[in-house]
Amino acid sequence: MPAPAIRGYHAHIYFAQDTIAKARALCEAAAQRFGVTMGRMHERPLGPHPDWSCQLAFAPAVFAELVPWLAMHRGGLVVFVHPISDNEVLDHTERAMWMGAVRPLDLSVLSVGPGDLV
């Protein structure tokens, strides 16, 4: 059975009140260096994410350069990376990668897409 197409990726940079400046600098540097789309700095949990976060959205072609760069420059921040395909639950669990502590996600807000069973 062929794997579902990956349309893109999200990297979520988690932060707290005392690390917001570090997270903003990391996200802005990634956006400038790699041309990725930087989302807002959410100072509250949003969606399935248990912590404050900022999203970087990027194309599959950027993955090989951006993800290692994040690993080397995250400065102790937790980074959650997942593909965007046909099943949000699997994208946020089985297909996801963590840098730093694994955080509990609220999967109840995600949808299961066609072609995959959870």
Side-chain angles (χ1 to χ4, degrees):
M1 182 186 240
I6 296 173
R7 298 186 306 275
Y9 286 92
H10 287 164
H12 300 274
I13 314 305
Y14 289 175
F15 58 90
Q17 186 172 1
D18 62 334
T19 56
I20 190 170
K22 181 190 292 189
R24 184 183 314 280
L26 179 67
C27 292
E28 288 174 351
Q32 182 176 10
R33 182 177 180 113
F34 299 99
V36 301
T37 302
M38 177 182 161
R40 291 182 303 213
M41 302 293 291
H42 295 284
E43 296 182 41
R44 64 180 177 87
L46 183 69
H49 306 288
D51 302 315
W52 297 5
S53 65
C54 180
Q55 175 182 284
L56 300 174
F58 56 99
V62 179
F63 183 95
E65 290 187 56
L66 175 62
V67 173
W69 184 88
L70 286 171
M72 299 305 290
H73 293 89
R74 68 185 182 87
L77 295 170
V78 172
V79 178
F80 174 61
V81 180
H82 68 84
I84 303 165
S85 69
D86 65 344
N87 185 305
E88 289 182 332
V89 172
L90 289 179
D91 289 347
H92 285 74
T93 56
E94 297 296 320
R95 301 171 181 158
M97 296 162 276
W98 289 91
M99 297 177 207
V102 175
R103 303 290 295 127
L105 299 176
D106 178 4
L107 302 178
S108 70
V109 302
L110 303 176
S111 65
V112 176
D116 286 325
L117 299 175
V118 176

